Amino acid sequence: MSFGSPGGGAINYKPTPPERGSFPLDHDGECKHLISDYLKCLKTRNGVNDEQCRKLAREYLSCRMEKNLMAPDNFKNLGLEFKGDELGKNSKVSSISTRKDDNA
Amino acid sequence: MICQQTGWGGQPIQTHRKGNLDTASRLTPVTDSRRLRITFNGSVSDVLPWKFTPQQREVRILPGETALAFYTATNKGPTDIIGVATYSVTPAQVAPYFSKIQCFCFEEQKLNAGESLDMPVFFFIDPDFVKDPAMKGIDTITLSYTFFKARYDDNGVLRPTISS
């Protein structure tokens, strides 16, 4: 769609695959309940992706990792590390590689 | 889980470096930036009897801040169907800053007849966005995904089907 664009520069970026490939489909809806929590959060904040919503996003991805629907990784590599993580304040969500003893 | 390396139309596409260290440093929100409004579009090709819609109207994110978004795909047809999605970003000049960590595109997604599934996209806008003067006037970015019906051709390459 760069034909005849003013300025002459043809901006033509090819779509690229995602860094980590595709999410496996959650056919059994194993993590589905966490989606609505997250979306509700976004809605109440007019879409602003604040820390509370990001923590819910982390819950969702954490669920996927637990159910083998996502390759496990440290949440630091996913931009979902928060202050207070190391103090165990966010104990509801655990990062796979720093999981301490939990009574799940 | 090995991802297919075949790209659009059979051209192999190199996946981006997995670079955990690299990525982690890019994933620091630029807190003194304005929030960018990301809106979502979903569409399907005429021959694909799917309904495909975004589950959120928008997310407002800082550059460098990862965000999760969802689409719902429903196969309204009588048979199981494989779909494959591609995406585009507008305005086009933002595309190089739009980074997808993981999503549902480029690989086949099979929906059983009548099945409805959540399709997540996990992405961020590269923090270098704020350093580019050409990006100054851009506040809204639209992410559009389109699903096509797919099939494997004689060479075993996944191809979209435009017409039945």
Side-chain angles (χ1 to χ4, degrees):
Chain A
M1 264 50 100
S2 53
F3 177 79
S5 55
I11 298 165
N12 203 8
Y13 288 102
K14 266 210 175 89
T16 52
E19 288 184 15
R20 289 159 189 253
S22 186
F23 276 118
L25 296 180
D26 182 5
H27 283 281
D28 299 327
E30 295 186 88
C31 298
K32 195 180 168 75
H33 56 293
L34 294 165
I35 298 178
S36 49
D37 288 345
Y38 169 70
L39 293 177
K40 264 187 217 141
C41 180
L42 280 184
K43 212 166 182 181
T44 59
R45 285 144 172 85
N46 271 326
V48 172
N49 188 37
D50 71 0
E51 183 166 306
Q52 183 53 32
C53 299
R54 290 169 67 211
K55 283 182 179 166
L56 291 170
R58 186 165 77 173
E59 297 258 358
Y60 175 75
L61 296 179
S62 193
C63 173
R64 273 190 164 260
M65 290 178 193
E66 282 167 30
K67 311 280 181 192
N68 247 345
L69 295 169
M70 181 176 184
D73 197 357
N74 191 310
F75 281 109
K76 183 170 184 198
N77 298 329
L78 299 170
L80 291 172
E81 193 179 53
F82 303 102
K83 286 198 188 81
D85 279 355
E86 56 304 344
L87 301 173
K89 276 186 187 162
N90 302 318
S91 54
K92 204 167 159 203
V93 177
S94 54
S95 156
I96 298 298
S97 58
T98 60
R99 196 195 291 277
K100 302 187 174 69
D101 54 314
D102 62 40
N103 302 325
Chain B
M1 282 156 274
I2 314 250
C3 297
Q4 276 181 287
Q5 295 293 318
T6 53
W8 201 239
Q11 290 156 342
I13 292 179
Q14 298 296 331
T15 47
H16 287 197
R17 60 196 155 148
K18 302 241 180 77
N20 284 339
L21 295 172
D22 259 282
T23 306
S25 62
R26 284 155 71 211
L27 298 184
T28 307
V30 181
T31 46
D32 55 2
S33 160
R34 65 190 185 285
R35 282 200 175 256
L36 303 169
R37 191 171 154 250
I38 316 293
T39 61
F40 303 89
N41 273 341
S43 60
V44 296
S45 94
D46 290 342
V47 297
L48 184 65
W50 286 15
K51 185 175 169 208
F52 177 61
T53 51
Q55 294 191 41
Q56 63 289 306
R57 192 165 32 209
E58 63 187 38
V59 291
R60 294 176 188 259
I61 58 176
L62 297 171
E65 184 178 85
T66 54
L68 193 54
F70 292 91
Y71 283 80
T72 308
T74 304
N75 180 359
K76 302 192 298 181
T79 56
D80 304 346
I81 297 175
I82 297 174
V84 64
T86 187
Y87 74 95
S88 63
V89 177
T90 47
Q93 54 268 46
V94 178
Y97 296 105
F98 182 81
S99 292
K100 298 177 312 305
I101 297 177
Q102 200 158 357
C103 67
F104 52 85
C105 49
F106 287 92
E107 298 200 12
E108 62 175 69
Q109 307 294 346
K110 181 170 162 209
L111 254 63
N112 299 324
E115 189 177 21
S116 198
L117 278 180
D118 300 301
M119 305 268 185
V121 186
F122 189 50
F123 66 96
F124 65 102
I125 302 292
D126 197 289
D128 285 347
F129 176 93
V130 303
K131 296 182 190 159
D132 187 341
M135 301 294 126
K136 258 210 176 76
I138 295 176
D139 297 319
T140 300
I141 298 165
T142 300
L143 178 59
S144 302
Y145 277 91
T146 304
F147 256 106
F148 294 90
K149 195 171 181 182
R151 58 174 186 81
Y152 287 93
D153 69 11
D154 296 336
N155 297 318
V157 175
L158 194 66
R159 289 192 175 280
T161 309
I162 311 295
S163 58
S164 50

